[in-house]
Amino acid sequence: MLLPSVLFADPAGAVRIIDADTWDVGGERVRLFGIDAPEAAQTCQRNDGTAWACGRWATAEVDRRYGGRQALCERLDRDRYGRSVTRCHIDGVDVARQLVRDGLSFAYRKYSMDYDLDEKGAAQSGRGLHGTVVQAPAAYRAAQRSRTAATSVSGCTIKGNISSRGVRIYHVSGQHHYRRTKIDTTKGERWFCSAAEARAAGWRAARR
């Protein structure tokens, strides 16, 4: 039987990068506190007007720096996806602060002003994302949700959700969790027009 101190221990261990601000630390899914990085599918615009896959770039750069390393994290909260919201350190360095300083992420001022000055310094120097035209990640997600809502109205009403453990589950209207299940296409979730389409794409049916 696990003791309470073990059950509620702060996340610690090897890092696996999901995206720039979402990691697995010692097998636990965490969201870095106080920052917001571009979504994996998000693009930015270079000064010459060409598109740049800045979301994939940020994820790959964070993985290059921190993937496989040992992190010590402090759990501060839990978000609506079930992830621990944490402040993480590697070799004594606050990694969220470093990501903002290097232009790999933004200060998430809606939740914290801790990294406000770090972002301003990166912006003044044009580091990383600040050297491009980039939409704030929160604004990008809102735009994607609006597009998703329009898609659902067209008749594709089956919700393809991804659980906090990465399990792909589809929910049909009338099922127990259908109404409270939210679809975030920036996380790989999607709408389906039929159960057969969902199964073919690798989703399984909700159990109730």
Side-chain angles (χ1 to χ4, degrees), residues 140-190:
Y140 173 82
R141 291 192 295 271
Q144 293 300 305
R145 285 193 291 269
S146 295
R147 293 191 190 100
T148 297
T151 300
S152 67
V153 171
S154 71
C156 298
T157 59
I158 295 175
K159 297 179 177 181
N161 174 248
I162 301 176
S163 75
S164 59
R165 295 184 177 180
V167 180
R168 299 184 175 194
I169 304 170
Y170 70 85
H171 302 261
V172 177
S173 179
Q175 287 189 297
H176 183 72
H177 295 295
Y178 181 85
R179 293 188 65 183
R180 68 181 185 184
T181 297
K182 306 298 182 184
I183 299 302
D184 185 347
T185 56
T186 67
K187 301 297 184 184
E189 297 175 333
R190 53 183 290 194

Side-chain angles (χ1 to χ4, degrees), residues 6 21 24 88 152 164 182:
V6 175
D21 57 23
D24 279 348
C88 294
S152 67
S164 59
K182 306 298 182 184

Side-chain angles (χ1 to χ4, degrees), residues 11 16 18-25 27-33 35-40 74-87 108 111 141 145 162-166 184 186-189:
R16 184 170 73 90
I18 307 303
D19 60 32
D21 57 23
T22 303
W23 299 3
D24 279 348
V25 176
E28 181 173 349
R29 185 64 50 89
V30 306
R31 176 70 159 79
L32 298 180
F33 170 75
I35 68 172
D36 201 15
E39 300 298 328
E74 176 190 6
R75 185 184 292 105
L76 304 175
D77 201 355
R78 193 170 293 277
D79 70 12
R80 65 191 182 97
Y81 298 106
R83 302 173 298 189
S84 291
V85 179
T86 63
R87 195 188 305 275
Y108 208 174
Y111 296 103
R141 291 192 295 271
R145 285 193 291 269
I162 301 176
S163 75
S164 59
R165 295 184 177 180
D184 185 347
T186 67
K187 301 297 184 184
E189 297 175 333

Side-chain angles (χ1 to χ4, degrees), residues 117-128:
L117 293 179
D118 300 288
E119 183 182 307
K120 288 175 179 175
Q124 289 172 357
S125 300
R127 289 194 291 271

Side-chain angles (χ1 to χ4, degrees), residues 38-46 50-60 129:
E39 300 298 328
Q42 190 170 345
T43 59
C44 302
Q45 183 178 308
R46 295 188 177 95
T50 59
W52 173 46
C54 57
R56 289 200 298 270
W57 168 79
T59 298
L129 296 165

